[in-house]
Amino acid sequence: MSKTLKGITLKGSAELVAEFFSFGINSILYQRGIYPAETFTRVTQYDMSLQLTTDAKLKNYLTNVISQLKEWLFDCTVQKLVVVITCLETNEVLERWQFDLECDKTAKEGSAPREKSIKAIQEEIRSVIRQITATVTFLPLLETACAFDLLIYTDKDLEVPEQWEESGPQLIDQSEEVRLRSFTTTIHKVNSMVAYKRTNST
Amino acid sequence: MDDMEDDTTIFSTLKSFKSLISCPDRSLLETEPAFGRSGLQNLYTKRVELEEAAERVRSHTNLLQLTQEKQQMELSHKRARIELEKEANSSSRDLQREIDRNRELLLQIRRLEEREEKANQALNEQMENNKALKRNFEELHKKANEKDSKLAEADQMISELKDETRRLNQQIQIQESKFSTQNLEIQALQEQLDVQRKYEFTHTQMYTIFLIPSNKCICTLERRLALQEQDSVIVKNMKSEVARLPELEREIKRLREENTFLRETKENNSLLREETEGLRRKLERMERAMEEKLKVEKPEDLSREVIQIQQRELNLKQQNYTLNSSIRSVEKARTELMPEIAQLRAKAQEEQKKRENQDSLVRRLQKRVLLLTKERDGMRAILESYDSELATSEYSPQLMLRVKEAEDMLQKVQTHNTEMEKLHCIVFVFLRQKIEELESERQQLEEQNNILEMRLERHNLQGGYDPVTTKVIHLQMNPTSIAKQQRTEEVEQLRVECQRLRDRLRKIEAGGGMTTDDTTLIIPPSQEILDLRKQMESAELKNQRLKEVFQKKIQEFRTACYVLTGYQIDITVENQYRLTSVYAEHMEDSLLFKSTGPVGSMQLLETDFSRTLTGLVDLHLFHQKSIPVFLSAVTIELFSRQTVT
């Protein structure tokens, strides 16, 4: 960890945000039942117990995406990260967990670290993850088999690396949106929101 | 141990048999002489019987031996089987281990192959990088050479430029020296100029001193001119008034003549009126007198009339007097007016004279002014000529020019200002209107902006983006695409299976149970099924073996019981035991016992055979209450029956 004890550098902020995404995405997958609960194991992070997957393929995929995302966070070229949950039978998008990223471009490699304690940032992250867990209570049930995908919104002129390709935004037809909490490291600000398909019964 | 026990039983039975053989021989021998031939026959039958018994025993022993051998064989079989199974298990385990090892080795081989490929790719990439770097290096070398040549050229240029700069510096120095000499000349000339200027200044001062009184005279003359103009204006007015005087006199004359005429007429009128009145009165009196002829003409009446007439006369006289007084007053007034008129005429004449004097003065003054202006112009011309004579610095006319220009500028500026103020007002009003319009527009735009911002926020929340600035990317191998691929593959596989099963069904229905190899579905048995099958088979084998073992043991036990106790115990019905004695005379002779209670107490049930043994039953069961004694008594009874008869 390159976060200095005195403040937050650009690299440290990128690592904090990437770590949050790693645990956040795992939480979403566990809470929504995309993967069976027995494939998850309990770990302690941010002073709370979270679920982390043990499936090797899934782990591999997540580390690929998160490591690439960390690079882009360092370059301040990423704008959003979206977890898209699709029903496999009907190929419809049922849920979209969207995380908007605002990067302070004045913080470059060599600039002075910003004054914010890591504990405060972790406190904010904890409240965000708790809220994600709480929102599951009012989201409609995912009854059919579902799969997920991670989309990243970047600047238009970014060079697309190998193994990545352009895709559509995979929007929900007739969606309800809910804004969740946000947290900031003073260099990166993450706004969370969830959009879900309106069910006709409600 | 079983073998040993079996041997002991065999030996014990042999001994018993031998003892039996020996005993009946003695008993037979002892009883021989008593019976004679019947005894011999008895002996013979007894011998035959004994031989038969011996044969039976021998066969029994053979049986026992055979069974023992068989048991031994089976035991050895079992052992062999167990050993074989153990070996089979171990060999299967070894097989599995080797298969796993095989797999692992294959995986390792694959990994190593992949690593090799990656290493080769890396090698190739490195080689390419190397080549690229070499090319870059060559290019950079060329660039460096070019730069060196350029540098040499630049150095040459620099040296040339330095020579030029030296030349230019020399020229500059020469020109600076020239400049300095010229400056000195200029300074000398300026000093001369200053001297001349001072001279001029004194001249101009002199001229100005001359000019100042003339200017003053000019000012005073101008003032006088103004006054005189005012006086001339007054004089003109007075003239006009004075011109009216003769007319006034004429009018006065006319008025007076009229006045006299009128008075005369008035007098005449009054006289005439009086006469008329007198006449009327006379007439009236006459009439009255005529009318009142009858009336007594009284002297009183006459006196009265006379008094009246006298009064009238008095009145008339008074009127006459008053009229005369008024005439006199009017004549006095006229006489008073006459001198005033004379005075006014005199004044008018005086004023005419004054005016004429003033006109002459004015003419003189104008002439003087003309002369003075001519003098001034002459002076100015002289001054200008002097200025032009000096002619190096024309600063006074320049100053005048500048002053004029400044005044012109001032006027222009003032007019411009006024115009601008007017424009300002118009523009102000116009701008106010514009401001109001713009404010209303601004409010509308703000509302639109708010609406658009809300829409944008909604769009953003739903996940929309601006394609000009952002793009959306994801990994090609992502869980959703993999899941979709798997789904389609599963669906394809299921379709293919379905098709195969349908074909098989059709063929089965057509062929009537013929299952040929090409339509059989080879479902590869999975490892679990094979394991379960093996487990099942082993369990079944175990079951079978256990059953066999139990059967054998029970059989052995039953035979042992039969042999030892002399009773065959069968369980016919639940809790009912049927005992058949070894020495039973008939097959159906049996004792039935029922178990009552959990402890093991038994009760004898009534059978045909038990009715024949009522004595024993009474004795042993009712009185002695012992079943084993009863049973042994029954065997002894049966045995005795058999042996005796």
Side-chain angles (χ1 to χ4, degrees):
Chain A
M1 287 293 189
S2 64
K3 301 189 285 289
T4 60
L5 289 167
K6 289 182 187 173
I8 308 295
T9 61
L10 178 62
K11 195 167 178 198
S13 172
E15 282 182 7
L16 275 171
V17 173
E19 197 182 38
F20 159 71
F21 278 129
S22 163
F23 285 99
I25 292 166
N26 268 291
S27 291
I28 291 167
L29 295 175
Y30 175 74
Q31 295 288 339
R32 304 309 284 138
I34 310 294
Y35 288 85
E38 54 264 20
T39 61
F40 286 85
T41 175
R42 198 171 281 233
V43 297
T44 305
Q45 183 75 15
Y46 308 121
D47 286 335
M48 56 198 281
S49 78
L50 298 171
Q51 300 283 346
L52 210 58
T53 184
T54 54
D55 184 324
K57 274 194 182 177
L58 178 59
K59 265 194 175 176
N60 191 32
Y61 170 74
L62 284 176
T63 44
N64 274 346
V65 173
I66 299 287
S67 59
Q68 185 59 263
L69 182 70
K70 213 189 283 191
E71 269 183 43
W72 286 330
L73 280 167
F74 189 71
D75 296 334
C76 292
T77 51
V78 62
Q79 298 175 10
K80 287 193 227 270
L81 172 84
V82 183
V83 183
V84 178
I85 296 179
T86 319
C87 168
L88 285 173
E89 282 175 12
T90 60
N91 279 339
E92 275 182 328
V93 180
L94 296 177
E95 267 179 32
R96 274 179 119 254
W97 295 79
Q98 185 166 291
F99 300 93
D100 289 349
L101 285 158
E102 288 166 21
C103 181
D104 186 359
K105 299 211 174 177
T106 62
K108 289 294 171 191
E109 175 65 41
S111 57
R114 306 245 172 136
E115 288 288 323
K116 187 156 185 183
S117 76
I118 292 167
K119 274 210 166 178
I121 294 167
Q122 284 188 340
E123 182 72 44
E124 290 178 22
I125 290 175
R126 193 185 322 159
S127 54
V128 171
I129 293 185
R130 275 204 192 129
Q131 204 180 21
I132 290 172
T133 313
T135 53
V136 171
T137 53
F138 67 78
L139 290 175
L141 283 175
L142 297 172
E143 286 156 349
T144 57
C146 293
F148 83 102
D149 191 6
L150 293 174
L151 305 178
I152 299 187
Y153 287 48
T154 62
D155 294 342
K156 185 88 182 169
D157 53 356
L158 181 76
E159 193 191 319
V160 178
E162 278 181 28
Q163 303 185 343
W164 290 75
E165 63 178 5
E166 275 202 48
S167 116
Q170 301 192 25
L171 303 173
I172 300 179
D173 179 33
Q174 290 188 331
S175 66
E176 294 274 358
E177 301 94 26
V178 178
R179 244 193 203 276
L180 305 175
R181 281 181 195 228
S182 64
F183 76 93
T184 174
T185 64
T186 69
I187 296 177
H188 291 103
K189 185 169 186 213
V190 181
N191 296 315
S192 326
M193 61 206 81
V194 61
Y196 56 94
K197 192 175 169 79
R198 222 178 282 166
T199 54
N200 295 327
S201 56
T202 53
Chain B
M1 281 294 288
D2 285 335
D3 298 339
M4 296 289 282
E5 286 174 2
D6 289 337
D7 292 334
T8 49
T9 52
I10 290 163
F11 288 128
S12 62
T13 46
L14 277 170
K15 279 183 190 169
S16 64
F17 169 61
K18 280 176 187 169
S19 66
L20 264 173
I21 291 167
S22 60
C23 284
D25 283 337
R26 286 186 217 140
S27 66
L28 282 168
L29 285 170
E30 285 175 358
T31 53
E32 230 185 78
F35 288 100
R37 279 186 192 169
S38 64
L40 274 169
Q41 278 183 349
N42 282 337
L43 265 170
Y44 182 75
T45 53
K46 272 185 189 176
R47 265 202 177 153
V48 165
E49 280 172 8
L50 279 167
E51 278 173 3
E52 281 175 2
E55 278 180 22
R56 265 185 240 152
V57 169
R58 269 178 219 152
S59 65
H60 197 64
T61 51
N62 283 332
L63 252 176
L64 283 170
Q65 277 179 357
L66 285 167
T67 53
Q68 204 189 7
E69 282 170 10
K70 195 178 130 196
Q71 278 173 11
Q72 280 180 353
M73 291 280 281
E74 278 171 0
L75 274 169
S76 64
H77 237 294
K78 270 188 229 171
R79 277 180 207 157
R81 239 193 244 172
I82 288 162
E83 280 170 14
L84 279 169
E85 277 172 8
K86 279 183 195 169
E87 282 178 16
N89 281 333
S90 62
S91 65
S92 66
R93 273 180 226 156
D94 291 335
L95 230 186
Q96 279 178 0
R97 271 181 222 157
E98 281 185 6
I99 288 166
D100 292 333
R101 267 188 219 163
N102 210 5
R103 275 184 215 155
E104 283 173 13
L105 287 168
L106 282 169
L107 279 169
Q108 277 185 6
I109 287 163
R110 275 179 216 158
R111 274 180 217 158
L112 287 166
E113 279 175 1
E114 282 170 12
R115 273 188 209 165
E116 245 192 69
E117 284 174 9
K118 282 182 194 170
N120 282 330
Q121 282 176 4
L123 235 187
N124 290 330
E125 285 173 8
Q126 285 294 317
M127 293 286 287
E128 286 173 6
N129 282 336
N130 241 350
K131 285 179 196 168
L133 282 167
K134 276 183 189 170
R135 279 177 225 152
N136 282 336
F137 184 65
E138 282 168 15
E139 283 171 16
L140 285 166
H141 200 65
K142 282 180 200 168
K143 280 183 190 173
N145 287 331
E146 285 173 9
K147 278 185 185 170
D148 286 334
S149 62
K150 280 184 190 172
L151 269 170
E153 288 174 10
D155 286 332
Q156 282 179 2
M157 289 282 288
I158 286 164
S159 58
E160 285 171 14
L161 286 166
K162 278 184 184 170
D163 293 332
E164 277 187 32
T165 50
R166 273 176 226 154
R167 279 177 232 155
L168 288 166
N169 279 329
Q170 287 171 359
Q171 284 181 4
I172 285 162
Q173 283 172 359
I174 293 160
Q175 281 181 353
E176 275 179 356
S177 60
K178 283 186 192 173
F179 191 69
S180 59
T181 53
Q182 282 181 354
N183 276 331
L184 289 166
E185 286 174 9
I186 285 162
Q187 280 177 3
L189 287 166
Q190 274 183 353
E191 283 169 9
Q192 285 181 8
L193 251 179
D194 288 332
V195 166
Q196 282 178 358
R197 272 183 201 167
K198 280 178 194 170
Y199 183 71
E200 272 183 22
F201 192 65
T202 52
H203 269 281
T204 51
Q205 273 183 349
M206 299 275 284
Y207 286 127
T208 49
I209 289 162
F210 278 122
L211 275 171
I212 285 161
S214 62
N215 280 332
K216 280 183 191 170
C217 290
I218 289 161
C219 290
T220 52
L221 286 168
E222 282 173 0
R223 275 179 223 152
R224 273 187 204 170
L225 250 177
L227 287 166
Q228 275 172 6
E229 281 175 6
Q230 285 173 7
D231 289 335
S232 64
V233 164
I234 293 162
V235 157
K236 278 179 193 168
N237 289 329
M238 291 296 289
K239 253 193 182 176
S240 61
E241 282 182 13
V242 163
R244 281 185 212 164
L245 263 174
E247 290 176 6
L248 283 169
E249 283 173 6
R250 284 175 213 159
E251 281 185 22
I252 287 165
K253 279 179 188 174
R254 278 183 223 154
L255 285 166
R256 277 181 197 154
E257 286 167 5
E258 280 182 21
N259 218 350
T260 52
F261 185 72
L262 284 166
R263 273 178 212 153
E264 286 169 4
T265 52
K266 213 177 173 184
E267 286 173 5
N268 291 328
N269 270 335
S270 60
L271 288 166
L272 286 167
R273 273 181 202 160
E274 285 173 7
E275 284 180 16
T276 51
E277 280 181 8
L279 287 166
R280 271 185 206 159
R281 283 178 198 155
K282 277 183 186 177
L283 262 174
E284 286 175 4
R285 276 187 234 135
M286 291 298 290
E287 286 173 0
R288 279 184 216 157
M290 290 293 288
E291 286 176 3
E292 296 175 11
K293 270 187 185 179
L294 295 169
K295 286 187 188 172
V296 180
E297 281 175 327
K298 297 175 187 179
E300 289 176 355
D301 294 331
L302 280 167
S303 66
R304 272 187 224 156
E305 286 180 15
V306 167
I307 292 159
Q308 283 179 2
I309 292 161
Q310 280 175 354
Q311 281 177 352
R312 280 183 215 153
E313 273 185 29
L314 284 165
N315 291 328
L316 284 166
K317 279 181 186 174
Q318 280 178 357
Q319 285 179 9
N320 208 0
Y321 287 133
T322 55
L323 281 167
N324 285 327
S325 64
S326 68
I327 286 160
R328 281 168 204 161
S329 65
V330 165
E331 280 181 355
K332 278 178 192 171
R334 201 188 75 164
T335 52
E336 281 171 6
L337 277 173
M338 288 292 282
E340 285 180 11
I341 289 160
Q343 283 177 5
L344 283 168
R345 278 185 195 162
K347 276 185 187 174
Q349 282 175 358
E350 285 175 8
E351 280 174 3
Q352 273 186 357
K353 283 176 193 171
K354 277 184 188 174
R355 199 179 52 109
E356 282 167 8
N357 289 328
Q358 281 175 357
D359 284 335
S360 63
L361 265 172
V362 161
R363 279 174 217 150
R364 279 179 219 158
L365 285 167
Q366 277 180 356
K367 282 177 193 170
R368 272 194 197 167
V369 162
L370 281 167
L371 284 169
L372 283 167
T373 51
K374 279 179 191 170
E375 280 184 29
R376 195 193 60 193
D377 289 333
M379 301 286 264
R380 274 190 190 161
I382 290 160
L383 276 169
E384 281 171 10
S385 66
Y386 274 119
D387 286 331
S388 62
E389 277 179 14
L390 289 168
T392 50
S393 63
E394 301 176 330
Y395 62 91
S396 57
Q398 274 180 8
L399 280 170
M400 296 292 284
L401 278 168
R402 277 180 210 162
V403 163
K404 278 180 199 170
E405 281 170 18
E407 284 175 4
D408 292 332
M409 282 295 287
L410 239 182
Q411 277 177 4
K412 278 181 199 168
V413 165
Q414 278 174 359
T415 51
H416 193 66
N417 264 343
T418 51
E419 283 172 9
M420 286 301 287
E421 276 171 18
K422 284 175 203 166
L423 274 172
H424 264 284
C425 290
I426 296 161
V427 164
F428 194 57
V429 167
F430 183 63
L431 284 172
R432 262 192 198 170
Q433 283 175 3
K434 260 201 175 179
I435 283 163
E436 280 166 19
E437 283 169 21
L438 286 169
E439 280 247 12
S440 63
E441 257 191 62
R442 191 184 65 89
Q443 279 176 5
Q444 279 176 13
L445 286 169
E446 261 197 49
E447 286 168 12
Q448 277 182 20
N449 198 17
N450 284 334
I451 291 164
L452 284 169
E453 269 181 11
M454 298 242 298
R455 271 197 214 160
L456 191 76
E457 174 79 10
R458 186 108 204 277
H459 192 62
N460 198 22
L461 273 179
Q462 286 178 342
Y465 63 98
D466 180 12
V468 175
T469 56
T470 52
K471 63 186 176 192
V472 182
I473 53 177
H474 64 169
L475 268 179
Q476 287 166 356
M477 299 303 289
N478 62 70
T480 304
S481 58
I482 290 169
K484 282 185 189 169
Q485 260 182 16
Q486 282 176 352
R487 272 234 158 187
T488 50
E489 282 172 7
E490 266 186 49
V491 163
E492 267 304 312
Q493 277 181 5
L494 288 167
R495 271 191 211 148
V496 165
E497 256 196 58
C498 253
Q499 198 60 38
R500 274 192 214 160
L501 286 168
R502 275 184 206 146
D503 294 335
R504 198 176 166 195
L505 254 179
R506 275 179 224 149
K507 287 207 176 172
I508 284 166
E509 282 169 10
M514 292 284 285
T515 59
T516 51
D517 287 337
D518 52 357
T519 57
T520 47
L521 204 63
I522 300 162
I523 301 158
S526 59
Q527 196 65 31
E528 287 179 9
I529 291 168
L530 288 170
D531 292 336
L532 287 168
R533 272 185 200 167
K534 282 180 199 168
Q535 279 180 16
M536 243 181 55
E537 285 166 4
S538 61
E540 276 175 17
L541 276 170
K542 272 188 198 171
N543 259 340
Q544 269 192 349
R545 262 181 257 145
L546 282 168
K547 275 185 198 170
E548 286 166 14
V549 164
F550 279 136
Q551 268 198 340
K552 278 172 217 162
K553 287 291 177 190
I554 284 167
Q555 200 65 37
E556 280 178 28
F557 188 68
R558 283 188 72 196
T559 48
C561 284
Y562 185 57
V563 164
L564 290 169
T565 58
Y567 285 100
Q568 187 177 332
I569 305 172
D570 302 317
I571 302 175
T572 54
V573 184
E574 188 70 36
N575 294 337
Q576 279 189 9
Y577 302 93
R578 192 183 69 189
L579 278 79
T580 319
S581 178
V582 155
Y583 306 114
E585 289 163 345
H586 309 285
M587 288 295 290
E588 308 87 49
D589 291 347
S590 62
L591 293 164
L592 269 174
F593 283 91
K594 185 175 166 187
S595 122
T596 60
V599 182
S601 57
M602 298 272 190
Q603 280 182 353
L604 180 67
L605 297 175
E606 189 83 17
T607 61
D608 297 331
F609 184 62
S610 66
R611 283 183 206 127
T612 59
L613 304 163
T614 49
L616 287 169
V617 166
D618 291 333
L619 175 62
H620 299 291
L621 288 176
F622 287 128
H623 292 292
Q624 292 177 350
K625 289 182 190 171
S626 169
I627 295 172
V629 173
F630 166 69
L631 288 172
S632 43
V634 167
T635 45
I636 289 167
E637 174 69 31
L638 288 171
F639 184 69
S640 65
R641 279 190 203 169
Q642 280 206 338
T643 49
V644 168
T645 54

